[in-house]
Structures are given as C-alpha cells and as structure tokens.
Amino acid sequence: MSVWREAVRAELSRFRARTGRDTVTRGELLRQSLDDLEARFPGSETPEQSLSRTLQELRDRDEIEFRGDGEYAITELAAPFERGTTYTRSRLHDAYGGMRQSGIAPSADYPFVFLFYGAAGEQYGYDDGFRGDTFVYTGEGQVGDMEMTHGNRVVRDHAEDGRRLYLFENADGGEVTFVGEYEYGDHFRQEMDDANGDRREAVRFELVPAGASGVPDDAPEFDDADLTDLYEHATGGETTGGPTTTRSTSYARSESVREFARAYADGVCEGCDEPAPFRDGDGEPYLEVHHLHRRADGGADDPGNVVALCPNCHRRRHHGADGDTFNEELKAYAEDRPY
C-alpha cells in the first residue's frame, strides 16, 4: 500500500474533522499538511508533486471526486491503513499521536481512535475477540468497576464526535497488525476479574465492521406503535424493506428489544414496582434494560430475556449479596408475562 495514500487519507480526514467541510482544495490541504508531510517523508520528491499524484490515485479509487476549480469532494474515504498489514506501534503514534501504552488511544490531532488488543491483556482481566462478525472489546480500567468515562466514553460516542475506530492486534516486538475499521454497535456490562483477581463490573463493547452498524434508514419509528407492533419487530416478525447487512439487522433488533422492554414496563421498574426515579433528556422515564441470561453467555437478544429496571434494582442484580437470587425472581416474573 502506498505510504502516500495512507498519509493523504489521514490528512483529508483531519481537514474534514477540523473544518466540518466535505470539500477541500489542493492549496488548502498543502497549507494544513505541508510541514507534516515534509517531516514524514524527508528527502523525497517535493510534497506538492506527491500530493497531486496521490489525489489522482484517490480519484481513481472513487474516494474523492474532482469538482473543478481545484476543489475535491471527500466521498468514500477509506481507512488510511491496510487490513492485515503490520505496523510499528511507535511509528503510528509518531505520525498520528495518541497514548503509547493505552489500549484505547484517541489522537488529539486526527479524528482517529486506536484500539489495541492481544494476549497480554488477559493478565488485566481482558478477554477480547470475535463473536461472529462482532468484535467484543473490553473497556479501559484495570482495577475496580469500569466507568463510562475517558477512553470508554470516547469509544461509545466516537460517531457523534466524528471519530473513526481503528482496531489493531498486538504482535511481538512492538508491532501491531491492522484488523480493520469498526464502529460502536452496543455495550453491556459483565462481571470479570480485574488485575488483582477481584470480581468487578467490566464494560464490554460490541464493535461492528464500519458501515454495518446503526438502525437502517427505513426502520420504523415506534413513538405511537402499540406493544404488539413493538413485539413483532423485536422478535424479527416484521420487516421494513430489508436491511443491507446482517449486522444492521442484529443491531436494529437490539434497539427494538430495548424499545419493547421500556414500553412494556410503562415507566415502572419491573424489579421493585416503583416508578422510574427520574426522566431522561428526552423526557421519558429512565429505566435500564437488563438481560436475564447474559448475552456473553449465549443469552438471546429477545423480549423474553429482558426486563426494564430502575438503576437501583439493576445495581442490586449485579452487585447485591442476593443478586443471583434476585435474577431468578426476575426470570420467574418474565415467564409469566403475556409477551
């Protein structure tokens, strides 16, 4: 893979993130990136010539489109790394920034978030790997319960923040292999050992191949739907024009299951029968959806396997002395529901 293609893709991504624009001229790109390109490729032909040649290559690959008057539209920009290629991790950070020892390493200069995993993470209680097309990635935090802050929040909110997730597998000698570009699909919490061997609640991200996450554009809105419609959609009994990918189907269904669980609870916790303690930013009663049989253990993403709980009951299930007994009571309750 051309190192210049890698560099120019990265600079185009940086320009779009910095300006919020999807169009750029060659002159604008040079003003932003000339010093960095000269430092990265010392002794090579002039950066102006290399940039022009690389922009033409990206046009031929349909990643950018020439609009005339020296302006390019950034259309389907590929990842600046080639899948299966091994890189020196220090070189990645020299070029793009990011913490050199962290598993989650956001760049301050580019709209990139680097995710690293490997066998060495097992000593800290991490257990990362593929589940079908989905990559399950353990969040950051070596000791104690993981919180949705810092790097974990960056992963969850990367799309909203305009960042792209690049996943690498650690190899020997400080090298890493590019696995691919991924997107946040969902997350769940799971009890795991921490670095001290103590049980804790870990954040587990479900990452999906880029372009395959999110609810399809033609997925129905459920604001006014009744429970039967919600149930049919959550169990896959309703289709709406056909999704484009298998993973889109899975994620849309996951969202539908949560929607059904909250609608069925109707603002009342199914664990303690008390009203939700507060309303969320959309004005809806705040309840958390709990899987009775953990998805990590093969539990189904199905209306029959979820209940809507207030935060207190949800914490009771995962951290209470009677958590397992409480979960069995919730299972018995769920079996008696009409849905």
Side-chain angles (χ1 to χ4, degrees):
M1 177 184 184
S2 166
V3 291
W4 269 95
R5 282 203 304 272
E6 173 189 323
V8 174
R9 282 170 175 155
E11 294 305 322
L12 287 168
S13 295
R14 179 163 66 139
F15 180 87
R16 181 164 55 184
R18 181 175 62 83
T19 65
R21 288 169 45 198
D22 287 323
T23 59
V24 60
T25 66
R26 177 177 172 276
E28 288 174 324
L29 202 57
L30 276 173
R31 285 192 291 275
Q32 169 193 272
S33 309
L34 180 59
D35 290 344
D36 290 334
L37 292 174
E38 287 180 334
R40 187 168 178 180
F41 303 108
S44 65
E45 61 180 317
T46 63
E48 291 88 345
Q49 293 174 331
S50 296
L51 178 62
S52 296
R53 185 186 68 250
T54 306
L55 289 173
Q56 180 61 52
E57 289 183 21
L58 296 180
R59 284 179 61 188
D60 294 341
R61 292 169 175 262
D62 295 325
E63 296 183 39
I64 60 175
E65 177 184 329
F66 185 63
R67 292 285 180 84
D69 296 328
E71 186 176 67
Y72 296 87
I74 305 170
T75 52
E76 298 293 332
L77 201 61
F81 313 105
E82 185 171 10
R83 186 175 300 171
T85 297
T86 297
Y87 300 85
T88 302
R89 179 165 178 176
S90 60
R91 172 188 170 278
L92 286 178
H93 294 301
D94 287 343
Y96 304 114
M99 296 292 290
R100 295 172 181 266
Q101 302 299 324
S102 298
I104 301 174
S107 169
D109 299 319
Y110 293 83
F112 302 160
V113 181
F114 297 118
L115 305 179
F116 301 95
Y117 77 97
E122 295 177 3
Q123 63 182 302
Y124 302 113
Y126 299 160
D127 178 23
D128 303 326
F130 283 98
R131 310 290 189 270
D133 291 334
T134 300
F135 190 88
V136 179
Y137 186 84
T138 308
E140 68 179 13
Q142 296 182 8
V143 178
D145 290 342
M146 293 184 182
E147 302 293 338
M148 193 56 72
T149 57
H150 305 298
N152 294 334
R153 186 203 64 77
V154 169
V155 173
R156 184 194 64 186
D157 297 343
H158 78 94
E160 180 180 340
D161 295 339
R163 295 172 178 262
R164 301 171 75 171
L165 300 181
Y166 295 132
L167 181 65
F168 291 84
E169 182 177 10
N170 294 322
D172 295 330
E175 294 187 327
V176 294
T177 301
F178 182 54
V179 177
E181 181 179 354
Y182 284 77
E183 296 175 353
Y184 168 85
D186 201 353
H187 74 273
F188 59 94
R189 294 182 179 272
Q190 179 180 351
E191 289 187 1
M192 303 176 68
D193 289 341
D194 66 11
N196 295 331
D198 298 323
R199 298 299 285 175
R200 53 88 172 267
E201 188 176 85
V203 174
R204 304 271 276 160
F205 292 104
E206 294 177 317
L207 306 179
V208 299
S213 68
V215 179
D217 292 338
D218 56 1
E221 295 290 339
F222 291 126
D223 292 345
D224 300 318
D226 60 26
L227 280 174
T228 300
D229 291 337
L230 288 169
Y231 181 81
E232 288 180 355
H233 192 77
T235 55
E238 176 182 341
T239 59
T240 57
T244 57
T245 68
T246 300
R247 181 55 192 170
S248 291
T249 305
S250 175
Y251 185 57
R253 179 172 173 180
S254 179
E255 288 298 298
S256 300
V257 169
R258 285 168 170 75
E259 189 79 18
F260 170 81
R262 294 189 180 100
Y264 181 84
D266 196 23
V268 177
C269 172
E270 294 182 276
C272 63
D273 292 326
E274 294 293 331
F278 57 88
R279 292 185 176 271
D280 62 20
D282 295 324
E284 298 295 327
Y286 182 83
L287 295 173
E288 300 175 350
V289 177
H290 166 63
H291 284 77
L292 300 166
H293 299 274
R294 297 187 307 178
R295 295 181 67 186
D297 294 335
D301 194 27
D302 182 89
N305 189 40
V306 295
V307 291
L309 302 177
C310 68
N312 190 52
C313 282
H314 204 185
R315 289 293 181 269
R316 176 186 173 189
R317 161 60 189 104
H318 289 291
H319 300 289
D322 66 339
D324 291 340
T325 301
F326 183 45
N327 197 55
E328 292 302 316
E329 294 173 356
L330 293 172
K331 290 178 183 177
Y333 158 80
E335 289 177 357
D336 290 335
R337 293 183 303 192
Y339 287 96

